[in-house]
Structures are given as structure tokens and as C-alpha cells.
Amino acid sequence: MTPRDGACGPTDTDPTPDDSGDTDVAAGVLQIDPCGLDFGTVENGSSTTQTVRAANAGTGDSTITSLTIGAPYAVSATTPVTVSAGSNYQFTVRFEPDSFGTFDTLLVVLSDDALQPSITCAITGVVTADADNDGHDTESSGGDDCD
């Protein structure tokens, strides 16, 4: 194993805290749960949200410096945000499409985590005119959809 800078001292060859003979320092270890969201099928013009948790499993603070996602998704969080050791930060991802189709994108979480400074999570959702599968895409055509 080669020496690493960052979470451990510059001469550390073992990232285990308090292993003998090195200079470990407190470091954040960010984990995203769930890392991957499936919004299923929604009607055009509607919106839905899911909650994501950024947990810090490390021994020091971790700062989330950026949360990015492609349209028609949005993240309800302001960065930077510091997540203390042993705690978590929750934010929501909103799916608010205005056209039909399948929408696949990535949620990218950037942080000061020395081992994994970039975490990428897959996001997917499908937009249909007939989300309730009654065979009609509008109320006037015999269904109960109100698009």
C-alpha cells in the first residue's frame, strides 16, 4: 500500500484510525442512502419527491460542497453543508417533468471526503399520459386522468 495524503497523515499506509506508528487525523466518510432513485411512472405535469440521506460514518466532519442533478429533477439543498461525525443530512430530490418519456440522469455529490470525494447515484423516472393505466389519457376520453 502506498502512503496517502488527506484523511490520514502523509506517512500513513493504513487508513485504520489509531493503528500503530502513524498519524491518523479525524476524517469524514460520506455515505449516500439511497444511492439510486427510481421514481417509477408519473403523469405529465405532476411532481413527486424522494428523500436522500447523506450520513457521515467518519470520525471528523465532512462537507458536501456540491449537489448536482439533471432536469427534470431538482435537489432541495443549499451547499456547502457540513455533516458532523456520526450524524446525517437529509435532502429531497424532486421529479417534475413537463414532457413524456423516460428520464435517466445522475445525482453527483461532491465533498471533502478524502477516500471518495465524488459519489454518483443513478436517477430514473418515466412520464406517461396514462399513469393510472385505465386506457385513457384524459378525463374527456373516458378515463379519470386530469391532464
Side-chain angles (χ1 to χ4, degrees), residues 13-60:
T13 59
D14 185 347
T16 306
D18 301 320
D19 53 325
S20 62
D22 63 25
T23 54
D24 289 316
V25 295
V29 178
L30 202 60
Q31 299 170 336
I32 305 299
D33 182 40
C35 189
L37 299 174
D38 185 345
F39 282 88
T41 301
V42 300
E43 286 190 47
N44 189 28
S46 66
S47 69
T48 186
T49 61
Q50 290 190 32
T51 301
V52 178
R53 183 174 63 98
N56 182 353
T59 57

Side-chain angles (χ1 to χ4, degrees), residues 39 68-75 93-99 101-107 123-125 127:
F39 282 88
T68 57
I69 196 166
Y73 301 91
V75 175
V93 174
R94 175 179 294 280
F95 181 35
E96 194 165 17
D98 61 1
S99 61
T102 299
F103 295 90
D104 296 323
T105 193
L106 299 173
L107 167 66
I123 312 294
T124 190
V127 181

Side-chain angles (χ1 to χ4, degrees), residues 102-121:
T102 299
F103 295 90
D104 296 323
T105 193
L106 299 173
L107 167 66
V108 179
V109 181
L110 300 180
S111 73
D112 62 357
D113 183 324
L115 296 177
Q116 193 173 7
S118 178
I119 300 172
T120 303
C121 305

